[in-house]
Amino acid sequence: MTFRALPGFRDFAPEDLAFRTHIFAAWRRVAVRYGFAEYDGPPLEPLDLYTAKSGDEIVGQLYNFTDKGDREVSLRPEMTPTFARMVAERANGLKKPIRWFAIPQLFRYERQQRGRLREHFQLNCDLVGEPGPLADAEVIALAIDVMRELGLAHEQFRVRVSDRRLLDALFTALGITAEQKPAAMQMLDKFGRSEYAKAESAFIEAGGRVASVEFLLKELRQATTWSTLLEHGAKHEGVAAALAEEHPLRETLAALEAMGLGDYIELDLSIVRGLAYYTGTVFELFDVERSLRAICGGGRYDALLASLGGVDLPAVGFGMGDVVLGELLKERGLRPDAPPSVDVIVAAVTPDDMPFVLEAAHALRDGGLGVEYALAPQALGKQLKLGDARGARLAVVIGPDDRAQGAVMVKHLADKTQTAVPRDTLVAHCRSLLTLNG
RNA sequence: GUGCUUGUAGCUCAAUCGGUUAGAGCGCCGCACUGUGGCUGCGGAGGUUGCGGGUUCGAUCCCCGUCAGGCACCCCA
């Protein structure tokens, strides 16, 4: 009988966990740099928490079951409802804007593919209580800085940004009614893909004229900056007028430019994302080659907290998963080498030296150093080889001849030099050598 | 959940038209090497060819099912 992890679930051997920890550490460093405070919540929640807003169809995607107390429960598929509840409970007492982040493990019951499992970790950053465009810029900048922190440059990824409010204004200018807008949105989302025909017929069924969207699909969609959007838009009177209005997205883009992050940003009106959630800015982060799925997605959801938790506060946030991000880092050679498991290997020349090895090893451990030694008698060469394999920088060799002088040998494994050191200064000696060599 | 595709050692891959005992590199363990390591050489362990069934004298190879991975759809945390 052999067992393996459930489909879509991962084992993390030390090497894998080290990589995950590397990603988490970058997430935390950057989030904290932006003044975000970490929180967490239960991985298991009442099923209602998710069906209340999204309806019963979502159950197909949930990892849900009935517990022994006959409660309908689900592993959390996303953090936002939990976040909404926690914020609602204390919103009155929290200084605005609220900047919170979490690194939850999330679960979805669906068929796995590359970059998409049944379980993953996700950096969730949310900024609550500020409706203005600088809040949007703030969270987008955070997402970009996470990527930079992990060693990725603007040649390797882009944030594509759009805005529901802008799109809405453009649709109106093009004569598309409120009822036709969702179908028009689908057309935008599917443009250039095999499913486009389906979206188009849905739009026609809603009474839309395809010609009305064409200007948006063929012209405006090409624009990747605000100024090119204005250029393209000038060809259409109504659109030009709509673009002349005040638009928060324009200010958000300008703010990112002012931060020096302009190279990472592309305006992209085809970014749609979940229709139910987002009310304003929407954005996705992609690798430049687009060989992978979106690394990160988010936007403004000003109505969601009220509908979920009862506090009527505007909010903007994003989620960034560890799976696609990890794949990208590996592809770009940005997976760091496993850190050394010990600082020092202590080696016995003869079996008679073993008690002295144990004594010295323990003293070094008490001194805060990572120490290993061979657990069975071995040739000295093999013991040094063990030290190499463990990434130790120092070897302490203990043998009868040196012992007779009250000394031990301390060897630098990298440059192969060694010096005799009095036993009673060994710990201090090793500590200073390790500190000096960083 | 639907369609297509792939599955050989821990990893990456071979194996003629369906043919006899399924191989190699890397990794792992041991020896050369009993006061000094990374190299080299030699040796060893490791396989129910994902699993089950069928066709055949004979199946890693052909057929069916199933499980798992990949791609697309659905969905987008």
Side-chain angles (χ1 to χ4, degrees):
Chain A
M1 192 69 183
T2 63
F3 295 103
R4 58 176 132 180
L6 257 13
F9 285 76
R10 296 169 288 174
D11 288 329
F12 288 90
E15 198 183 280
D16 306 316
L17 187 61
F19 186 42
R20 187 179 101 185
T21 302
H22 167 72
I23 292 172
F24 285 13
W27 282 352
R28 289 202 168 92
R29 277 196 303 276
V30 177
V32 166
R33 215 177 277 165
Y34 276 76
F36 281 63
E38 187 167 4
Y39 70 97
D40 199 2
L44 193 66
E45 292 275 17
L47 182 63
D48 299 345
L49 185 64
Y50 305 111
T51 55
K53 190 69 190 82
S54 313
D56 290 341
E57 10 8 310
I58 196 181
V59 175
Q61 312 266 42
L62 294 181
Y63 227 104
N64 68 302
F65 54 94
T66 308
D67 76 3
K68 290 180 180 178
D70 273 330
R71 279 174 287 260
E72 292 299 323
V73 297
S74 176
L75 290 167
R76 60 187 174 197
E78 55 165 326
M79 200 57 178
T80 308
T82 304
F83 173 73
R85 179 184 63 208
M86 290 174 67
V87 166
E89 276 173 19
R90 12 198 146 218
N92 287 340
L94 291 170
K95 185 73 182 162
K96 315 296 182 305
I98 300 161
R99 294 168 183 250
W100 279 17
F101 82 98
I103 304 181
Q105 188 174 24
L106 304 175
F107 305 86
R108 278 205 139 181
Y109 197 91
E110 63 181 354
R111 195 146 157 190
Q112 70 156 321
Q113 286 180 42
R114 183 174 189 218
R116 162 170 247 188
L117 308 175
R118 286 183 169 180
E119 149 273 319
H120 75 157
F121 292 89
Q122 189 181 70
L123 171 66
N124 263 253
C125 295
D126 292 279
L127 199 155
V128 176
E130 174 51 57
L134 252 37
D136 307 61
E138 189 81 342
V139 299
I140 292 171
L142 202 172
I144 292 169
D145 281 351
V146 164
M147 303 298 281
R148 295 175 60 228
E149 182 79 5
L150 287 164
L152 291 154
H154 77 270
E155 292 85 4
Q156 290 162 323
F157 72 95
R158 282 291 184 284
V159 181
R160 303 175 128 87
V161 190
S162 182
D163 192 310
R164 280 287 149 71
R165 295 160 294 192
L166 172 63
L167 212 52
D168 203 66
L170 292 173
F171 280 149
T172 303
L174 292 163
I176 295 160
T177 68
E179 305 77 61
Q180 296 161 357
K181 279 174 185 170
M185 208 92 92
Q186 283 295 314
M187 286 174 69
L188 201 53
D189 189 31
K190 306 289 185 199
F191 192 65
R193 291 201 274 161
S194 56
E195 274 61 41
Y196 176 75
K198 214 195 294 181
E200 191 183 83
S201 47
F203 179 65
I204 293 167
E205 219 165 288
R209 288 176 306 110
V210 174
S212 68
V213 218
E214 248 161 28
F215 185 68
L216 180 52
L217 292 177
K218 304 223 165 110
E219 286 282 341
L220 299 181
R221 211 178 127 273
Q222 305 296 322
T224 58
T225 63
W226 193 266
S227 57
T228 52
L229 180 66
L230 289 177
E231 280 171 36
H232 288 248
K235 296 170 195 164
H236 184 291
E237 206 177 308
V239 166
L243 288 174
E245 305 284 314
E246 290 277 305
H247 289 288
L249 179 59
R250 183 182 187 173
E251 292 175 58
T252 298
L253 294 174
L256 289 161
E257 192 79 42
M259 291 178 198
L261 298 176
D263 285 348
Y264 298 91
I265 307 289
E266 262 174 34
L267 177 69
D268 186 342
L269 294 180
S270 69
I271 296 296
V272 171
R273 298 197 62 76
L275 293 173
Y277 258 61
Y278 297 111
T279 55
T281 311
V282 287
F283 65 94
E284 292 185 341
L285 206 151
F286 285 98
D287 71 293
V288 159
E289 290 165 21
R290 295 206 73 163
S291 59
L292 300 168
R293 291 161 201 286
I295 297 158
C296 161
R300 177 165 283 283
Y301 51 98
D302 287 347
L304 190 68
L305 292 182
S307 67
L308 275 178
V311 275
D312 189 8
L313 286 172
V316 57
F318 70 84
M320 178 187 290
D322 71 313
V323 182
V324 177
L325 179 59
E327 304 245 1
L328 178 61
L329 292 172
K330 278 186 243 173
E331 247 176 43
R332 296 299 146 86
L334 292 170
R335 178 180 175 141
D337 294 329
S341 57
V342 295
D343 303 305
V344 183
I345 185 83
V346 185
V349 174
T350 70
D352 290 341
D353 300 312
M354 211 50 215
F356 302 92
V357 165
L358 295 172
E359 187 271 333
H362 194 261
L364 288 163
R365 284 170 172 166
D366 267 353
L369 302 182
V371 178
E372 188 172 348
Y373 50 85
L375 297 174
Q378 278 182 338
L380 185 53
K382 291 204 61 164
Q383 298 180 65
L384 294 176
K385 212 177 261 189
L386 178 65
D388 290 326
R390 296 295 198 239
R393 279 183 289 158
L394 296 180
V396 173
V397 178
I398 300 180
D401 301 347
D402 301 311
R403 261 201 292 121
Q405 323 279 317
V408 296
M409 296 301 285
V410 174
K411 178 165 190 169
H412 252 109
L413 286 168
D415 49 32
K416 303 185 157 207
T417 59
Q418 63 180 1
T419 47
V421 172
R423 164 60 193 91
D424 48 13
T425 65
L426 175 66
V427 176
H429 187 81
C430 288
R431 286 179 57 133
S432 72
L433 280 178
L434 289 166
T435 312
L436 284 174
N437 295 283

